[in-house]
Amino acid sequence: MKWHNFGSVSPRCDTVLGPDINIARESVQVQIGRKKFLIGECHVQGAAPLNITWMKSGKLIIENEKFTLVKIVTEQNTNTRQLWIREMALEDYGQYTCSATNLYGTKKKNVFVKRAVVRETRQESQSNCADKKYFNITVFLTCFAVIVHL
């Protein structure tokens, strides 16, 4: 029996096998009640098939009336997964995790969603005073004295 060595097939040096994740933002601040807000966006490269999921505090997020998951695949074989929230509530703050898994491993990246502090702008504070009657009048008085010598 004669054995033939047909060579081995090795991946190109620039080929990404295991999942590689890039997160658009690692931290985001949002106000309670904000509608249609992008919680996170993760860009994943790696050998197919890729399983990409979003979790909150370790619990799998599925698309429902609260969350929308958007899948985008580019020509460069980058898979993007966006996580949108329809309306921000107090219980929605915390840690969100994008996880990517394939035959070569698993990678995870976190996004921390924090409560935004609402600051009153100067225009808002002025409009709040518009209904009230305030008078701010500056009066300048000039006094002339004439001295007459007799």
Side-chain angles (χ1 to χ4, degrees):
M1 180 181 280
K2 188 173 181 183
W3 293 94
H4 295 278
N5 184 2
F6 292 105
S8 60
V9 178
S10 60
R12 294 182 9 213
C13 292
D14 61 348
T15 302
V16 177
L17 295 176
D20 185 35
I21 299 178
N22 289 310
I23 294 285
R25 303 177 288 189
E26 293 181 358
S27 177
V28 63
Q29 292 185 354
V30 61
Q31 298 173 0
I32 288 180
R34 174 86 186 261
K35 296 183 186 316
K36 296 181 183 174
F37 185 77
L38 178 63
I39 295 286
E41 180 176 83
C42 65
H43 309 281
V44 181
Q45 286 186 314
L50 281 166
N51 182 30
I52 304 168
T53 59
W54 276 98
M55 296 176 281
K56 180 179 185 302
S57 303
K59 185 178 177 186
L60 181 66
I61 296 174
I62 56 172
E63 190 159 353
N64 55 32
E65 62 278 345
K66 181 179 262 314
F67 294 106
T68 301
L69 299 165
V70 178
K71 175 182 177 181
I72 304 166
V73 179
T74 66
E75 292 177 9
Q76 294 82 18
N77 279 340
T78 298
N79 293 282
T80 298
R81 296 297 188 278
Q82 294 178 335
L83 175 63
W84 290 80
I85 191 163
R86 289 192 172 92
E87 185 173 354
M88 196 69 188
L90 188 59
E91 66 271 8
D92 299 321
Y93 294 106
Q95 177 180 306
Y96 290 79
T97 304
C98 179
S99 176
T101 303
N102 68 6
L103 296 172
Y104 300 97
T106 299
K107 287 275 178 89
K108 296 178 181 183
K109 292 275 183 148
N110 296 320
V111 175
F112 295 95
V113 179
K114 302 172 186 175
R115 188 172 179 177
V117 177
V118 181
R119 293 187 179 149
E120 189 175 289
T121 65
R122 178 178 228 171
Q123 188 175 22
E124 288 171 343
S125 65
Q126 288 174 352
S127 67
N128 290 340
C129 296
D131 296 336
K132 299 177 180 129
K133 301 209 186 289
Y134 291 101
F135 296 98
N136 186 10
I137 300 171
T138 304
V139 177
F140 294 98
L141 299 174
T142 307
C143 182
F144 293 99
V146 177
I147 301 175
V148 177
H149 293 279
L150 295 173

